[in-house]
């Protein structure tokens, strides 16, 4: 506070006023949002004709449609995700994830993927008979999910088999085989070899499931996680590009007694 004894009364009041004003200014103002409002703005003549908007969008849409329509492969028959314990499209999808993801995992982490588990609900379309394009990949996998590899003990592989039996859905699997006896799995094989309860396995899945999606809580018990940053949709497209004829995979992976 400045010394005011040498000033007359008006001067003293003026200095006090300035001091208080400066202190208030330096204290900072706090603002609060009281209302958020929005409104729809139609595309009218005032903003430009619809033809103008269409003219702007058309080159981009045509370019995307051209890229999505390029024929990459051929499907000899329609593949879908229907089935009791497995499906033709589920088998293909899981095998593609294994085939495309394993070389990347090997080069980055010096290990190999042992098995793949995806989810039945993640497949959103069929692969129709005939020409296969990138558009088919977007229809089958419209989400941005990427491949993740989780290190799980054999006891969690046992949980995976039990989960599949409980769910009664043809979840896509690759590298895993077992027999259903009553309501329990037996003769579990990973990579064609009997399951070892205390062994660590590298299980490929998508990031949604790795985070506990579809109640796959066993992934939370993993000892390590490796993100490959490779979208499942891109895996499909890359596989289609290098494959002339899409295989129809009907080998038995889950046997019911």
């Amino acid at each position: 506070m400045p010394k005011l004894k040498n000033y007359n009364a008006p001067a003293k009041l003026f200095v006090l006023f300035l001091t208080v004003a400066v202190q208030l200014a330096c204290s900072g103002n706090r603002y609060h949002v009281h209302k958020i409002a929005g409104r729809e703005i139609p595309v009218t003549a005032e903003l430009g004709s619809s033809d103008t908007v269409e003219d702007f969008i058309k080159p981009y849409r045509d370019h995307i449609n051209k890229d999505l329509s390029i024929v990459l492969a051929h499907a000899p028959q329609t593949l879908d995700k229907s089935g009791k314990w497995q499906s033709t499209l589920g088998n293909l999808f899981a095998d593609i994830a294994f085939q495309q993801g394993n070389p990347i995992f090997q080069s980055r982490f010096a290990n190999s993927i042992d098995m793949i588990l995806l989810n039945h609900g993640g497949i959103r379309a069929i692969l129709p008979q005939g020409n296969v394009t990138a558009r088919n990949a977007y229809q089958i996998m419209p989400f941005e999910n990427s491949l993740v590899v989780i290190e799980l003990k054999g006891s969690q592989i046992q949980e995976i088999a039990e989960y599949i039996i409980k769910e009664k859905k043809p979840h896509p699997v690759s590298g895993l085989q077992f027999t259903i006896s009553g309501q329990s799995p037996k003769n579990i094989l990973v990579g064609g070899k009997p399951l070892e309860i205390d062994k660590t396995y590298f299980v490929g899945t998508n990031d949604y499931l790795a985070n506990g999606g579809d109640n796959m809580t066993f992934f939370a018990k993993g000892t390590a996680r490796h993100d490959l940053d490779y979208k499942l949709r891109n895996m499909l497209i890359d596989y289609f590009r290098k494959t002339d004829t899409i295989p129809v995979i009907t080998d038995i992976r889950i046997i019911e007694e």
Side-chain angles (χ1 to χ4, degrees), residues 83-86 164-166 168 177-187 252-257:
K84 186 172 184 180
W85 298 112
Q86 59 191 55
I164 292 173
I165 295 172
K166 180 181 178 181
K168 292 182 171 60
Q177 294 173 290
F178 62 89
T179 299
I180 300 173
S181 178
Q183 293 299 313
S184 301
K186 71 176 187 178
N187 301 330
I252 305 301
R253 303 180 181 189
I254 300 175
I255 302 168
E256 187 174 16
E257 287 186 336

Side-chain angles (χ1 to χ4, degrees), residues 123-244:
I123 300 175
R124 291 307 177 102
I126 65 171
L127 182 66
Q129 181 180 15
N131 291 333
V132 177
T133 66
R135 179 175 281 104
N136 295 124
Y138 275 86
Q139 292 168 341
I140 293 170
M141 175 48 63
F143 312 110
E144 298 298 311
N145 297 119
S146 297
L147 188 67
V148 173
V149 178
I150 307 294
E151 295 186 27
L152 297 177
K153 290 294 186 180
S155 54
Q156 277 84 62
I157 307 302
Q158 173 92 20
E159 289 183 43
I160 288 175
E162 293 170 352
Y163 171 88
I164 292 173
I165 295 172
K166 180 181 178 181
E167 285 284 298
K168 292 182 171 60
K169 293 179 181 178
H171 293 295
V173 296
S174 182
L176 174 69
Q177 294 173 290
F178 62 89
T179 299
I180 300 173
S181 178
Q183 293 299 313
S184 301
K186 71 176 187 178
N187 301 330
I188 301 175
L189 303 177
V190 179
K193 298 178 181 180
L195 178 69
E196 299 178 40
I197 294 298
D198 296 323
K199 181 179 177 180
T200 296
Y201 293 92
F202 298 96
V203 181
T205 188
N206 66 52
D207 49 359
Y208 167 71
L209 301 178
N211 293 329
D214 280 9
N215 295 315
M216 294 193 184
T217 54
F218 38 79
F219 282 123
K221 302 175 183 177
T223 57
R225 169 175 171 151
H226 310 282
D227 291 85
L228 301 192
D229 300 317
Y230 192 0
K231 295 187 186 302
L232 295 182
R233 180 175 58 243
N234 292 344
M235 288 184 176
L236 291 175
I237 294 172
D238 291 343
Y239 176 83
F240 292 159
R241 282 197 176 113
K242 66 181 183 181
T243 304
D244 178 72

Side-chain angles (χ1 to χ4, degrees), residues 2 14 33 47-48 53 85 96 117 132 151 202 210 238 244 248 251:
F14 180 70
V33 177
L47 299 175
V53 176
W85 298 112
I96 289 174
L117 170 65
V132 177
E151 295 186 27
F202 298 96
D238 291 343
D244 178 72
V248 180
D251 61 295

